[in-house]
Amino acid sequence: QVQLVESGGGSVQAGGSLRLSCAASGPTYSSFCMGWFRRVPGKEREGVASITVRGGTTGYVDSVKGRFTISLDNAKNTLYLQMNSLKPEDTAMYYCAAASNWCGPARLISGNLDAWGQGTLVTVSS
């Protein structure tokens, strides 16, 4: 089973940028879909961005479209999330995840996941 480890979180001011990384211990092509979801205490999880492992088709939740970019380097078994123009409402714990069967941001918070990481905290101050 693939194990996922996130890094790259931190504290930034509104308008700043961060790049999250997710290193997979095994081949990323073992799953159909990879992506990021986030969680704020007291709120529902939110699927943020997804990418199909073989085709590279991406999907984003409306609130991050045009600001976040997901990418996957299969040779390095690493998933990325480039986050630009960050807003205070982006503050959350961000988790990397792998899933099967179908792909989209909603898939990352629906049903069973193949794997997920321990999370990395992103804090955006105004």
Side-chain angles (χ1 to χ4, degrees), residues 15-110:
S17 298
L18 284 173
R19 188 175 82 153
L20 305 184
S21 298
C22 172
S25 63
T28 52
Y29 55 75
S30 62
S31 290
F32 179 72
C33 177
M34 294 193 72
W36 299 87
F37 67 91
R38 62 189 179 187
R39 172 177 277 161
V40 176
K43 294 187 177 181
E44 297 286 331
R45 291 175 300 162
E46 180 180 48
V48 175
S50 63
I51 186 167
T52 56
V53 172
R54 295 188 183 276
T57 300
T58 59
Y60 299 92
V61 68
D62 285 346
S63 60
V64 308
K65 284 180 180 177
R67 300 188 299 121
F68 290 11
T69 302
I70 189 171
S71 60
L72 177 62
D73 187 333
N74 282 320
K76 294 183 178 180
N77 293 331
T78 302
L79 180 73
Y80 302 98
L81 185 67
Q82 178 66 44
M83 305 187 295
N84 299 328
S85 302
L86 282 161
K87 303 176 180 180
E89 51 264 43
D90 295 318
T91 295
M93 187 73 82
Y94 284 73
Y95 298 85
C96 169
S100 298
N101 300 325
W102 59 279
C103 200
R107 175 63 184 95
L108 304 173
I109 55 172
S110 303

